[in-house]
Amino acid sequence: MRHLLLLATIGAVTLAGLARADDPVPIREVLADPDAYHFRMVSLQGTVRGVTPLPPYTPGPDTTCYGAYTFVLEDETGSMEISVLGICGRPFMRAPEVVEGESILLVAQIFSSEQELSVAKGPVKKLRAVANSIRHLSPPAAPVEPAATDQPEEPSRPEGEGKPEKDGGY
């Protein structure tokens, strides 16, 4: 009976830990100790700033990737750049799926600035976060309507009105 109680307790603690793993981590915590998050998937929540589409890139021979972009995710504790990888293979341009000012929740893989991030000689000296999934918490902003002018709107004309009639010549 004691073993059953012990297993139930361990299971409850494990489930509680898993539930917390989905809670957004403040950006300040990732920036303060990036090595603790190296190569981990982390939930981050904040506001999108500075969306920048990137040109196609070539990660290897005979492969080109399209539609990559970066943006800054900002919360009340700090901000960090997020990369969204392109789609590799067939040429496919896509618009970024985030817009300036919208609130999102994302899961990103963190690459610590102190760890070697590529096969190039020497470490890459930059903290990177690569988005794995993005969930929109606020709808993207609606496009701004053009301002009304004082010009009266031209009435619509029936089909053919104002066009010269065919006259059998030529």
Side-chain angles (χ1 to χ4, degrees):
M1 184 67 166
R2 286 177 29 188
H3 292 325
L4 186 57
L5 182 59
L6 179 62
L7 287 174
T9 303
I10 291 171
V13 169
T14 302
L15 287 176
L18 289 175
R20 280 193 308 240
D22 291 336
D23 291 341
V25 174
I27 291 173
R28 173 185 57 216
E29 287 185 23
V30 177
L31 297 175
D33 190 8
D35 285 345
Y37 293 95
H38 179 64
F39 219 63
R40 286 184 49 201
M41 300 298 268
V42 177
S43 292
L44 301 168
Q45 183 175 336
T47 303
V48 173
R49 302 283 182 226
V51 180
T52 306
L54 300 174
Y57 60 95
T58 306
D62 301 326
T63 302
T64 301
C65 302
Y66 303 85
Y69 59 97
T70 63
F71 62 92
V72 173
L73 186 67
E74 178 182 90
D75 71 9
E76 59 278 351
T77 69
S79 63
M80 67 188 306
E81 185 176 75
I82 307 294
S83 298
V84 178
L85 300 177
I87 298 170
C88 301
R90 296 185 342 194
F92 174 75
M93 296 307 289
R94 66 172 174 178
E97 69 177 286
V98 297
V99 295
E100 178 76 24
E102 87 171 302
S103 180
I104 64 169
L105 174 67
L106 65 86
V107 175
Q109 187 166 23
I110 305 298
F111 297 96
S112 168
S113 59
E114 300 302 316
Q115 305 293 326
E116 189 167 326
L117 299 178
S118 70
V119 293
K121 292 182 181 178
V124 176
K125 297 292 186 182
K126 186 176 181 186
L127 172 68
R128 293 199 48 201
V130 177
N132 182 277
S133 66
I134 298 173
R135 190 174 84 184
H136 304 273
L137 300 177
S138 65
V144 178
E145 295 286 329
T149 63
D150 293 336
Q151 299 284 336
E153 204 174 294
E154 189 173 313
S156 62
R157 296 181 183 172
E159 183 79 26
E161 188 175 313
K163 294 181 184 175
E165 291 187 30
K166 292 184 180 176
D167 67 321
Y170 302 107

